[in-house]
Amino acid sequence: MSESRLERRFAALKAEGRGGLVTFTTAGDPDYDTAYKILQRLPEAGADVIELGMPFSDPMADGPSIQAAGLRALDAGMTLRKTLEMVRSFRAEDDVTPIVLMGYYNPIYSYGVDAFVKDALDAGVDGLIIVDLPPEEDDELCEPAVAAGLHFIRLATPTTDDARLPKVLTNTSGFIYYVSIMGITGTKAASGDAVRAAVTRLKGHTDLPVAVGFGIRTPEQAAEVAAVADAAVVGTAIVEQVKAGLGPDGLAGAGLVDGVIDYVASLAQGVRAARQG
């Protein structure tokens, strides 16, 4: 099997001696065209890997900001099929930057697992993060996805102990996403020392890259994480930049896209200033 976009990207980051920036945005927030313009420009802003949220009406692991983004997208008519169309359009312009779809199993189940896996691959998706499917349910989606050539990226948390980790790592590829805090997205941040200790522990169990997210809001925080992990993941803070660019009518304002891209660029500068030690 040839090296994937994710594998090439993390190998390149390792060769550069730095951690990467993983960005999260919600597909279709606040509308398809605006969301696509943001997606198009994320690589130029410095995003090394893109997580694209699949809007869902009941995102139980997400905090208020990402919940609201999903609802804005759904209200604007976003669907899973349109999310795949967005990836396909992006791939016509960028065949290098990895894209990982993140979300919940229900929309995929409704779409049909086999059809979804095929269409995701055809569109140019590189991997999946499905937060409500534990390893015990791998036959539902993980195994068919991996067999077809999609990475299945698993979450680990502060409560994932050494006895549980081998199960979590089964069938996991691409990278492992370490959720650095307990609770929902966008609520608080972990200390640098805690992140360093967690990354060291995970590296004792796997050779996969470790990306760390939840609570990163500033270039300084991103740099602190990128100095010890293979990547820093920023989601809620980017989604809040989208919200900040909405007009009083709830529609995209003239400066929304530029505002989001400028913010991502500041995070990327922070990450690139950090050197792993």
Side-chain angles (χ1 to χ4, degrees):
M1 187 176 178
S2 61
E3 193 177 45
S4 69
R5 292 185 191 93
L6 273 172
E7 290 165 337
R8 287 194 294 270
R9 179 52 50 93
F10 277 107
L13 292 171
K14 185 175 182 179
E16 292 178 38
R18 70 172 179 88
L21 175 63
V22 180
T23 60
F24 172 92
T25 57
T26 299
D29 175 35
D31 59 74
Y32 186 101
D33 290 343
T34 303
Y36 183 64
K37 289 174 184 175
I38 293 170
L39 179 64
Q40 280 180 301
R41 294 181 60 188
L42 284 173
E44 77 180 49
D48 295 298
V49 177
I50 295 171
E51 289 179 7
L52 190 60
M54 299 177 284
F56 179 49
S57 58
D58 189 23
M60 61 187 178
D62 292 310
S65 296
I66 293 180
Q67 287 188 23
L71 290 177
R72 287 194 297 268
L74 292 171
D75 287 345
M78 199 61 181
T79 64
L80 184 51
R81 194 170 298 279
K82 288 182 180 179
T83 300
L84 296 179
E85 289 174 7
M86 185 175 285
V87 177
R88 189 184 301 277
S89 297
F90 177 87
R91 278 285 168 250
E93 304 173 14
D94 184 325
D95 195 39
V96 176
T97 306
I99 291 185
V100 174
L101 296 184
M102 186 170 187
Y104 299 82
Y105 182 47
N106 185 279
I108 296 171
Y109 178 81
S110 299
Y111 192 104
V113 168
D114 291 343
F116 170 77
V117 168
K118 179 183 182 300
D119 290 352
L121 277 170
D122 288 348
V125 173
D126 298 291
L128 306 173
I129 302 174
I130 309 300
V131 300
D132 56 348
L133 275 183
E136 287 76 13
E137 305 296 335
D138 272 3
D139 58 337
E140 289 281 341
L141 174 63
C142 174
E143 291 173 2
V146 171
L150 286 171
H151 289 288
F152 205 85
I153 295 136
R154 203 88 69 177
L155 304 179
T157 73
T159 60
T160 309
D161 60 22
D162 289 344
R164 177 66 173 167
L165 262 177
K167 185 69 172 176
V168 169
L169 291 167
T170 301
N171 294 325
T172 300
S173 65
F175 62 93
I176 184 141
Y177 185 161
Y178 179 67
V179 177
S180 59
I181 60 168
M182 298 298 296
I184 56 177
T185 57
T187 52
K188 51 188 175 181
S191 71
D193 288 343
V195 170
R196 182 184 295 274
V199 170
T200 299
R201 185 171 71 89
L202 288 168
K203 292 286 190 179
H205 289 264
T206 181
D207 293 329
L208 289 172
V210 177
V212 176
F214 278 45
I216 300 171
R217 293 182 170 274
T218 67
E220 293 76 19
Q221 288 174 325
E224 186 176 30
V225 169
V228 297
D230 296 292
V233 185
V234 184
T236 295
I238 296 173
V239 167
E240 288 174 352
Q241 290 291 320
V242 174
K243 181 182 178 183
L246 298 176
D249 55 4
L251 301 178
L256 188 155
V257 175
D258 285 341
V260 172
I261 295 306
D262 288 348
Y263 175 67
V264 172
S266 74
L267 296 170
Q269 288 171 5
V271 164
R272 282 160 173 75
R275 281 294 178 266
Q276 295 179 313

